[in-house]
Amino acid sequence: MTHRIYTAILILIASVTVLQSCKKKDAGVCYCDYVSGDKKEFNLKALERSEQIDSCFVLNKNANAFGGSCELE
């Protein structure tokens, strides 16, 4: 019985940890990840959608030079 309680507690803790680490991405934000582990967010919400796409594309090209990539949400 005790073994089942410990297992249930571990599953609960793991579930809470995973749910907290999943951050909802905002529309109009360009998210960049780099090989070094760095992450950057560029708020492009003030721009029109076509300008957001173009700007994030430029950021992606720049990030590629440093082993990174960017994605617009």
Side-chain angles (χ1 to χ4, degrees):
M1 185 67 174
T2 311
H3 184 65
R4 288 184 183 176
I5 293 173
Y6 288 129
T7 304
I9 291 172
L10 286 174
I11 290 172
L12 180 63
I13 291 171
S15 299
V16 170
T17 303
V18 168
L19 289 174
Q20 287 179 345
S21 67
C22 295
K23 184 173 112 175
K24 182 181 176 193
K25 294 187 175 184
D26 291 328
V29 176
C30 187
Y31 295 92
C32 300
D33 294 318
Y34 298 89
V35 173
S36 65
D38 290 342
K39 296 181 182 217
K40 293 188 179 184
E41 299 177 6
F42 298 92
N43 186 344
L44 306 175
K45 293 178 184 177
L47 304 175
E48 302 263 338
R49 185 65 180 174
S50 62
E51 293 173 313
Q52 291 174 351
I53 293 168
D54 292 342
S55 297
C56 195
F57 179 75
V58 171
L59 290 167
N60 185 51
K61 282 178 59 176
N62 293 338
N64 283 334
F66 298 97
S69 65
C70 300
E71 181 179 305
L72 180 66
E73 289 296 318

